[in-house]
Amino acid sequence: LRTTLLFLSPKDLYTAPDSCEGRCREPYSPEDECHCNPECERHRNCCEDYYRHCRDEGFSSSRDAITDEELLQVSEQLYKADHNKARPTDIAINPQYQASPDETDDQEDRSPQPLYKYVNEELFSKPTYASFIKLLDNYQRATGREEDVTAEELREQDNFLREVMKTELMKKLFAFLHKKNRYGSEQEFVADLKEMWFGLYSRGDGEQDSSGFEHVFSGEVKKGKVSGFHNWIRFYLLEKQGAVNYFSHNFEGPWDTYPDVLGLQFSWDGFYKEVGSAFIGSSPEFEFGLYTLCFIARPGRACHLSLGGYSLSIQTYTWTKSTYGDGKKYIATAYVISS
């Protein structure tokens, strides 16, 4: 037997494949797990530590970078443009028991009444709400079970995207991202929204069983627990059916109008959610737009925004095990940090 010795440099030995240490401005290679070249922000395929190692010399310091200050400004613009949000008289909630941090995982129902006392369901006839609600029954909630996407469901995705893009809020978001050189046209933006949110990937055993939209808005069940499920409309409709049981809340936002934010504990057909943060009373396009903004501007990091003069942070994560297009990442999750 002939033995072949491989002589590795210290760089080969000590640079992790998922790190940018020593790799800033390295040319793109499809074999790499993640990337450190100046275009990686645009493609959302940077390594998690890209900003730490490469910020000063990379894409982040160029005129196309999205600064923290710009995020505060554009989020206030989107907040003001949410014309379809609930009015104070449209929703009455009954938060009841506030759980302490060490009570959120004890699965105890401390609130005998439902969370929603009243919702003006005329809201749901607005085009973005109606097209959003149509999407919610398109998914198998159990991970590991392949999604069978019908032609009708594809049409529903396109219709939702068409309706949200008619709103001032999404037009402002596109204008901002276009100015920042993320998209050349609205058509390119919509095509990418469809991939990043509705493109399927596997959370289970190789089955195409999940998407960003399903996880964030519709909710999933994995290993006996609720995963994702960060949407107030979905919660209200399932609570009305008796499928969701509200237990308590651990956070209530400072807003005295809608949208507000709640961190809540609940069970869904007996499956438990320890902290399900959600906007309350926002339009579908508001959540969809803010999560998209943060996923593009700060993937995998806390994204600091301002809504009506109050601070708010959104956390997104990229799906790292599969990509689309030129190495672009799908949305794994997005939610309000409620603590």
Side-chain angles (χ1 to χ4, degrees), residues 28-73:
Y28 173 81
S29 167
E31 276 77 44
D32 291 337
E33 283 186 30
C34 56
H35 305 280
C36 308
N37 60 313
E39 294 295 303
C40 72
E41 269 202 337
R42 189 190 310 257
H43 293 296
R44 298 186 301 281
N45 55 19
C46 301
C47 298
E48 290 286 325
D49 61 1
Y50 170 75
Y51 301 94
R52 183 150 48 92
H53 293 298
C54 309
R55 182 170 199 131
D56 291 336
E57 55 181 297
F59 186 63
S60 293
S61 61
S62 76
R63 64 186 174 79
D64 291 337
I66 297 173
T67 67
D68 290 347
E69 184 59 37
E70 285 171 327
L71 281 175
L72 297 177
Q73 291 169 358

Side-chain angles (χ1 to χ4, degrees), residues 68 90 93 112 122 147 156 162 167 195 199 213 244 251 253 257 259 264 303 313:
D68 290 347
D90 286 331
I93 59 171
E122 285 180 20
E147 295 295 343
E156 288 173 356
R162 193 161 46 245
T167 65
E195 287 288 352
F213 187 92
V244 158
F251 174 86
T257 59
L264 57 163
C303 172
S313 297

Side-chain angles (χ1 to χ4, degrees), residues 246-309:
Y246 170 72
F247 282 15
S248 56
H249 69 287
N250 64 298
F251 174 86
E252 190 165 7
W255 294 270
D256 55 8
T257 59
Y258 297 115
D260 201 348
V261 176
L262 210 59
L264 57 163
Q265 292 68 53
F266 62 91
S267 76
W268 178 17
D269 289 335
F271 300 104
Y272 187 63
K273 180 70 176 180
E274 185 176 332
V275 180
S277 62
F279 287 106
I280 308 289
S282 59
S283 69
E285 61 267 28
F286 178 80
E287 288 177 86
F288 192 71
L290 279 198
Y291 292 151
T292 298
L293 170 67
C294 285
F295 183 67
I296 290 169
R298 300 288 184 268
R301 295 191 292 152
C303 172
H304 303 301
L305 308 178
S306 178
L307 304 180

Side-chain angles (χ1 to χ4, degrees), residues 17 38 79 100 130 155 157 171 173 175 226 236 242 268 308:
Y79 178 76
S100 63
R155 280 194 296 273
Q157 292 172 12
K171 287 192 181 300
L173 176 60
V226 176
Y236 166 74
W268 178 17

Side-chain angles (χ1 to χ4, degrees), residues 68-105:
D68 290 347
E69 184 59 37
E70 285 171 327
L71 281 175
L72 297 177
Q73 291 169 358
V74 74
S75 54
E76 283 289 2
Q77 290 171 17
L78 299 182
Y79 178 76
K80 290 184 178 72
D82 188 12
H83 305 306
N84 286 328
K85 67 184 176 186
R87 296 161 306 190
T89 54
D90 286 331
I91 299 174
I93 59 171
N94 183 16
Q96 299 164 82
Y97 188 81
Q98 180 155 3
S100 63
D102 59 353
E103 290 176 323
T104 58
D105 65 349

Side-chain angles (χ1 to χ4, degrees), residues 156-167:
E156 288 173 356
Q157 292 172 12
D158 290 336
N159 188 48
F160 171 71
L161 292 170
R162 193 161 46 245
E163 291 300 342
V164 296
M165 287 309 300
K166 291 176 186 174
T167 65

